[in-house]
Amino acid sequence: MAISKARKDELLAQYSGLINDSSAIFFAEYTGMGVKAMDDLRGKIYEADGAFHVTKNTLLSLALENADREFPAEILQGQLATGFALNEVPSLAKALVDFAEKSDSLTLKGGLLGERFLTVAEIEALAKLPTLDQLRSQLMGLVNAPARNIASVVASGVRQVVNVVDAYAKSEEGSAEAA
């Protein structure tokens, strides 16, 4: 079905905006995917602070060229859907990889991380990286560990002093009662 020149300009502007706002772009071929499955995938991608659009190959190619992003031409073949990482790249990669593993209707084709083209294997490796929240919690654990150890050592020393004083007091009471 042909679309009007105005709609093409609108889509080109939308793709250009998403490309400029994205840290990474992932290309996937979808075949035989139903509306429910597409909505589920979009929901997971939305949770990962991303956007997922069924894209027109020619217009996406033009938008990528306008943004000076190089990519293999064979990527933009077939029924293409594009994921845009608007925030964290690993969380979007994880959402796409997990969905692709569970569904036969989505096949990852590659991606762009900045100016660099990513293979499917590299996207799968990206998906295994921890999210930003996980990294923050690990960092906080590392920062808190020395303080926790110092507090434990100080408390242990105080406990030992209290035990010695208590033992001395009990021994004094026992000798006073014996006398």
Side-chain angles (χ1 to χ4, degrees):
M1 180 177 186
I3 59 175
S4 68
K5 173 78 170 129
R7 179 68 177 141
K8 287 180 182 178
D9 290 341
E10 181 183 319
L11 286 173
L12 184 61
Q14 179 185 16
Y15 297 163
S16 295
L18 285 168
I19 290 168
N20 290 332
D21 293 343
S22 299
S23 313
I25 302 166
F26 300 107
F27 306 106
E29 187 171 352
Y30 69 98
T31 49
M33 185 181 291
V35 174
K36 185 176 181 340
M38 184 66 83
D39 286 344
D40 289 344
L41 177 58
R42 282 190 173 129
K44 290 177 180 165
I45 289 172
Y46 179 77
E47 289 173 7
D49 289 330
F52 191 72
H53 295 276
V54 173
T55 51
K56 297 283 188 188
N57 295 347
T58 306
L59 295 174
L60 183 61
S61 174
L62 186 59
L64 287 167
E65 287 172 9
N66 290 344
D68 292 327
R69 304 279 177 99
E70 294 182 20
F71 58 95
E74 66 271 5
I75 290 294
L76 300 182
Q77 303 292 323
Q79 292 181 308
L80 192 70
T82 308
F84 300 93
L86 302 174
N87 196 0
E88 286 185 47
V89 175
S91 58
L92 178 63
K94 182 170 178 47
L96 286 169
V97 167
D98 288 349
F99 192 87
E101 286 175 354
K102 294 175 187 169
S103 172
D104 293 335
S105 58
L106 185 76
T107 306
L108 293 173
K109 294 179 82 173
L112 292 170
L113 182 62
E115 303 295 322
R116 186 175 182 280
F117 179 76
L118 299 174
T119 64
V120 174
E122 290 171 326
I123 293 171
E124 290 170 350
L126 253 175
K128 293 176 184 174
L129 291 175
T131 65
L132 189 58
D133 288 338
Q134 290 170 333
L135 286 173
R136 285 179 181 149
S137 66
Q138 289 173 357
L139 181 62
M140 289 306 297
L142 289 173
V143 168
N144 286 337
R148 191 172 36 245
N149 290 343
I150 289 172
S152 174
V153 167
V154 169
S156 173
V158 170
R159 244 180 281 137
Q160 288 176 352
V161 170
V162 168
N163 288 340
V164 168
V165 169
D166 184 50
Y168 181 75
K170 286 180 181 175
S171 71
E172 287 295 316
E173 285 177 11
S175 63
E177 287 177 5

